[in-house]
Amino acid sequence: MGSLMDLRAPFRRANINRESLSLQALQRLWEASGLPQEALAHVSLPGCDPVLPSSFAVGAAAQASLASAALAAAELWHLRGRERQHVTVEMLHAAQECRGFFSINGVTPSSWDKISGLYPCGDGGWVRIHANFAHHRDGALALLGCPVGEGTTREAVTQALQRWKALEFEQVAADAGLVVAAMRSFDQWDAHPQAQALAQQPLVSIERIGEADPRPLPVFTAEARPLSDIRVLDLTRIIAGPVAGRTLAAYGADVMLVNSPHLPNIDNIIETSQGKLSVHADLDTADGRITLAGLLRSAHIFVQGYRPGALEGLGFGPEQAAQLRPGIVYVSLSAYGPQGPWAGRRGFDSLVQTGTGFNWAEAEAAGQVQPKPLPMQILDYASGFLMAFGAQAALARQATEGGSWHVQVSLARTAQWLRSLGRIPDGLDCPMPAVQPLLQTSASGFGTLSAVPHAAQFSVTPAGWSRPSVPPGSDRAVWPFR
């Protein structure tokens, strides 16, 4: 199961119009959202795949998803009484933003724990273990009978997995609450019940979940940007959700990152916290829940990346949030979607790539036996941009129609969308471009930060972050007053 030892099928070379691919994808997203078609005349999408080494249209996915968020911001600007402005998103810049490259004080943090990665199993299949959090790493090591802690080697894990079949280890790990995925081909994934459940779900679900009067968008003040005075609660931690909040901040929103003082974070929080306030609230305590409820009562958007159903037990599920704050736009991120047998399963971009067929397909295109990942965590970044897009589309509908709204995005559904964009026959021949020419340096609460600026360019209101990234808990849990 999942072995690449017999590369049976030649790589199918799809014929696609690369120049129009991103625009076509954007048009489909826009039409599904119900936003005015006139806005599409005010966007430019220069560039075409390949821009990064991949047989998939990762550049188009980055560009179209990011452009959807940026154009939605421009439409909110228009809805707030201004003439439409033009939005430009250059493909290479968008793709480079999706690589998530950054350095702090001249040092580039490591992206992965040494145990994270793909391993062959005893049946010829492969599994990917995600071990960036110590409790996930130690849980996987204990399951394999390896010593827990930082001292265990990849060789020990490889040897231990020879006693396992790939699918069996995936299931046992999932039952234990760990994050592991068995590698599948596209055909194998398409036959899976979760893939079939996902096929019935929209890429960006925007659903009315409650009644509320239309709430006029805040009146513009001097030097306003499209989302000025829009308040966003960001209860996310791992890349996709934080990218959504960071994107809304780039368009002028007041984004407040709410972190538990007891949960670990990864180094990416340094880069994805740009533009955000950062507060602590322990939702396992009454005080933490009271703090969050107080913030929610004057928020416009609530973004969360908990597993489906997890926040309901704390009193902050979508319907509960709509009762506390009628007219709220509630945005949910999941790994595998809100319905289906894997709805509650944990997952990250790299695991979803493995489980849904991309590592197999990319290796097949390269003619190699070793599974091959995509050149960046495009499922995370595209999902984050799509969350920001859906949030703004729902906010526009709330302002004109009323109601409370629930936006849902999943990494696995984004993966299906990436597949639908087709393949790039010569994509793997593209060299990895240098990111250094795009980097901008700024002061942050962590030190001197060098990172890729936001790729969307607006003709009137430049995108960017007016607040530096700061460590969790640096700010008071109070909305800024203007």
Side-chain angles (χ1 to χ4, degrees):
M1 155 45 225
S3 172
L4 286 175
M5 295 304 293
D6 57 333
L7 301 178
R8 297 181 294 275
F11 173 37
R12 296 177 177 83
R13 296 181 173 266
N15 294 315
I16 58 175
N17 182 344
R18 300 183 195 177
E19 287 74 15
S20 63
L21 182 58
S22 294
L23 182 57
Q24 291 171 3
L26 174 61
Q27 288 171 336
R28 288 192 290 269
L29 283 166
W30 204 258
E31 291 166 2
S33 75
L35 290 169
Q37 293 297 296
E38 296 83 357
L40 290 169
H42 299 270
V43 65
S44 298
L45 303 178
C48 64
D49 277 304
V51 291
L52 267 62
S54 177
S55 69
F56 291 91
V58 294
Q63 184 180 42
S65 59
L66 195 156
S68 71
L71 194 61
E75 189 58 27
L76 283 171
W77 168 265
H78 177 62
L79 187 62
R80 296 172 78 173
R82 303 296 177 90
E83 291 187 9
R84 283 192 171 97
Q85 57 178 310
H86 198 84
V87 174
T88 301
V89 178
E90 198 275 325
M91 182 182 287
L92 176 58
H93 190 162
Q96 294 281 44
E97 183 174 344
C98 292
R99 289 176 65 187
F101 179 90
F102 73 97
S103 65
I104 193 74
N105 295 326
V107 177
T108 302
S110 175
S111 299
W112 301 101
D113 180 89
K114 67 178 181 180
I115 298 300
S116 292
L118 282 150
Y119 295 88
C121 293
D123 63 345
W126 292 75
V127 294
R128 180 182 285 277
I129 297 174
H130 194 284
N132 281 12
F133 289 122
H135 64 290
H136 288 157
R137 178 200 65 208
D138 291 346
L141 293 176
L143 185 60
L144 290 169
C146 295
V148 299
E150 298 180 355
T152 299
T153 64
R154 288 185 61 87
E155 290 73 19
V157 174
T158 300
Q159 184 176 357
L161 279 167
Q162 290 306 300
R163 301 191 295 268
W164 287 86
K165 296 180 180 179
L167 287 177
E168 289 180 357
F169 185 69
E170 175 190 64
Q171 185 60 53
V172 172
D175 292 343
L178 304 174
V179 277
V180 171
M183 187 176 70
R184 292 170 174 80
S185 67
F186 283 150
D187 287 344
Q188 289 165 335
W189 172 246
D190 291 343
H192 194 281
Q194 189 60 36
Q196 295 167 9
L198 278 172
Q200 308 304 314
Q201 300 167 25
L203 175 59
V204 181
S205 172
I206 304 176
E207 178 187 7
R208 186 171 180 145
I209 58 170
E211 295 306 313
D213 292 334
R215 189 167 62 238
L217 296 171
V219 176
F220 272 138
T221 56
E223 299 181 356
R225 293 192 287 161
L227 299 187
S228 289
D229 299 319
I230 299 299
R231 293 173 170 177
V232 181
L233 282 170
D234 181 356
L235 276 73
T236 66
R237 293 168 60 226
I238 312 299
I239 303 184
V243 164
R246 186 188 67 179
T247 301
L248 296 173
Y251 308 147
D254 289 319
V255 180
M256 184 177 289
L257 176 63
V258 181
N259 228 304
S260 168
H262 306 300
L263 291 177
N265 288 289
I266 59 175
D267 287 334
N268 295 73
I269 194 173
I270 299 172
E271 195 252 350
T272 58
S273 291
Q274 293 178 96
K276 302 178 186 179
L277 302 161
S278 185
V279 307
H280 273 151
D282 184 355
L283 300 187
D284 290 328
T285 68
D287 285 346
R289 294 190 292 273
I290 291 169
T291 296
L292 182 60
L295 293 168
L296 173 58
R297 287 190 177 94
S298 56
H300 299 86
I301 299 171
F302 185 102
V303 183
Q304 64 91 14
Y306 286 71
R307 285 187 299 154
L311 276 184
E312 278 82 349
L314 297 171
F316 296 98
E319 286 77 14
Q320 295 160 318
Q323 290 179 349
L324 282 168
R325 174 56 155 157
I328 193 69
V329 172
Y330 190 103
V331 184
S332 296
L333 170 71
S334 62
Y336 292 101
Q339 288 92 37
W342 281 16
R345 183 166 291 201
R346 291 175 171 88
F348 300 105
D349 178 301
S350 58
L351 297 167
V352 177
Q353 283 191 36
T354 300
T356 63
F358 283 91
N359 291 171
W360 173 294
E362 198 78 304
E364 187 180 48
Q368 68 180 49
V369 171
Q370 186 78 13
K372 186 173 179 60
L374 297 172
M376 76 287 223
Q377 296 187 76
I378 184 59
L379 307 184
D380 265 333
Y381 281 86
S383 294
F385 297 138
L386 292 172
M387 292 167 71
F389 164 67
Q392 293 174 103
L395 187 63
R397 294 174 72 170
Q398 202 294 321
T400 55
E401 304 173 26
S404 299
W405 297 85
H406 190 194
V407 176
Q408 297 183 81
V409 173
S410 73
L411 300 180
R413 184 62 183 85
T414 299
Q416 289 188 340
W417 175 68
L418 175 58
R419 279 179 64 184
S420 77
L421 299 180
R423 304 290 288 274
I424 307 299
D426 54 350
L428 286 170
D429 296 332
C430 177
M432 181 64 80
V435 71
Q436 281 72 20
L438 282 174
L439 295 180
Q440 290 185 356
T441 299
S442 61
S444 81
F446 300 91
T448 301
L449 173 64
S450 293
V452 177
H454 191 55
Q457 298 185 17
F458 293 74
S459 59
V460 179
T461 58
W465 297 291
S466 58
R467 295 184 174 100
S469 65
V470 293
S474 292
D475 296 295
R476 294 174 57 234
V478 178
W479 289 113
F481 177 77
R482 290 185 175 85

